[in-house]
Amino acid sequence: MKKIIWLALFIAMELTPFSNIKKAEEYAQKKIEYPDSDNQNWLTPDYTSYIKFQKVSYLKKLLKFLGYESDYWSPKTFNQTIMKLTKINSKFPKNIEIEVSDNEKFIIFGALGGAFHSLVRDLKELEKKEFINNDLKLKFKNHYIIFLGNVVGTSPYNMETLFLVTDLIQKNVGQVFYLEGAEEYREFWADRTFGKEIAIKGISPSSKKDSLKNLMKDFFITLPSTVVLNLPKSKESILISYFTKPKDTKLNPKYGISLEFHSDA
């Protein structure tokens, strides 16, 4: 009877994800940054075999339970994080406005494309520069991070990359923003690497409505499209968006600078 209880515990337990830069770095060091794809096509790579190989097995769960394995994270926790962030995002407008003085500092990330290892290196560098601490908390209230969409892409580590980004958002609400790009807005991800990754890594949903693919669609819909930095001294604004034009035509069209990142790829 005790054996059955112990078995049930390790199968049902919630695995601990990396929750700080050090853990993310350790995880990245154990994973191949550029694994071989099944089709050897770097434009539209197929990592099905590699993703299946990386899927957490019951043996790994048992090793984790016994304290011998710690280099993986939980798709279940990822699902819960996405649902929580969807609720948080729904409270923010699609166009975020920030009043800027002389002391604000902004870090702007271009398209990550699921490049988990690269993101970890960037966060490590930001930690060295004292912009962020090991627990993924921005050190000052006037520090901001903006992700310009296309956080997911052709990498086999899209879920891990998203987990880090969403963890940053949770720990720095109102200071870290994830804007929608073509992958998120046009749902390119659904039929590409991330869609396959979800199908292989994602936990079995309790219902079709709660499937991870549907959760991701709901989450991406809530992403803001624009961050507007208002400059009181010059009475101008900086528009930060992946798209070439604000999707909200009610926005003030007079911008001193426009940071636009657009690609149909």
Side-chain angles (χ1 to χ4, degrees):
M1 184 64 181
K2 287 184 178 181
K3 290 181 178 179
I4 294 175
I5 293 174
W6 281 94
L7 182 63
L9 279 172
F10 91 79
I11 290 177
M13 72 178 185
E14 182 175 321
L15 310 182
T16 303
F18 35 77
S19 56
N20 57 48
I21 296 175
K22 184 178 180 181
K23 286 184 178 180
E25 191 175 27
E26 291 172 352
Y27 182 94
Q29 289 171 351
K30 295 179 181 180
K31 303 298 177 183
I32 303 171
E33 184 166 4
Y34 302 110
D36 291 332
S37 65
D38 293 344
N39 59 359
Q40 297 298 312
N41 185 334
W42 287 107
L43 293 177
T44 57
D46 181 359
Y47 291 112
T48 300
S49 297
Y50 181 74
I51 294 171
K52 285 182 177 179
F53 178 74
Q54 295 296 316
K55 186 177 180 181
V56 177
S57 64
Y58 285 126
L59 176 59
K60 282 191 174 183
K61 286 186 179 183
L62 177 58
L63 291 173
K64 169 67 178 180
F65 185 73
L66 297 175
Y68 294 105
E69 182 79 25
S70 61
D71 70 334
Y72 62 90
W73 60 283
S74 167
K76 180 179 178 180
T77 307
F78 178 81
N79 289 20
Q80 294 169 343
T81 299
I82 291 300
M83 286 189 285
K84 183 176 179 180
L85 259 294
T86 300
K87 292 181 180 179
I88 292 175
N89 282 351
S90 63
K91 297 178 182 179
F92 284 91
K94 293 293 284 185
N95 301 293
I96 308 294
E97 295 200 32
I98 300 175
E99 299 298 319
V100 180
S101 62
D102 296 328
N103 301 315
E104 278 75 14
K105 292 183 179 181
F106 294 85
I107 297 295
I108 302 175
F109 283 87
L112 287 174
F116 176 75
H117 295 72
S118 178
L119 175 59
V120 171
R121 287 193 292 268
D122 289 339
L123 293 177
K124 188 67 180 176
E125 186 64 25
L126 289 178
E127 183 186 16
K128 289 179 182 178
K129 294 182 180 300
E130 298 187 347
F131 194 92
I132 192 172
N133 64 24
N134 179 58
D135 293 322
L136 300 171
K137 284 282 294 180
L138 273 63
K139 300 197 76 171
F140 301 97
K141 291 296 182 181
N142 61 349
H143 283 183
Y144 297 87
I145 292 178
I146 300 172
F147 293 92
L148 284 167
N150 289 6
V151 167
V152 298
T154 57
S155 164
Y157 302 109
N158 288 295
M159 290 180 75
E160 289 90 333
T161 303
L162 265 175
F163 197 98
L164 262 186
V165 171
T166 53
D167 201 24
L168 271 166
I169 296 171
Q170 282 191 103
K171 293 178 177 178
N172 304 277
V173 175
Q175 289 180 268
V176 177
F177 299 102
Y178 173 7
L179 306 184
E180 59 184 353
E183 287 285 340
E184 296 87 1
Y185 178 67
R186 297 175 184 168
E187 295 188 10
F188 288 159
W189 61 272
D191 298 316
R192 296 184 180 180
T193 307
F194 186 37
K196 294 180 181 179
E197 193 177 349
I198 284 175
I200 296 170
K201 287 184 180 178
I203 63 171
S204 300
S206 57
S207 68
K208 187 176 181 180
K209 179 182 178 182
D210 295 328
S211 70
L212 182 52
K213 194 168 185 177
N214 286 334
L215 291 178
M216 290 311 309
K217 286 182 179 180
D218 292 342
F219 171 66
F220 287 146
I221 288 173
T222 68
L223 294 180
S225 61
T226 308
V227 170
V228 179
L229 308 182
N230 294 319
L231 310 175
K233 288 186 177 180
S234 63
K235 295 183 179 180
E236 292 183 328
S237 300
I238 299 175
L239 169 65
I240 302 173
S241 178
Y242 169 88
F243 301 97
T244 55
K245 292 182 180 179
K247 291 163 67 178
D248 185 349
T249 56
K250 294 179 182 179
L251 279 175
N252 185 346
K254 296 180 180 179
Y255 297 103
I257 305 172
S258 181
L259 300 181
E260 300 165 349
F261 296 78
H262 179 73
S263 171
D264 291 324

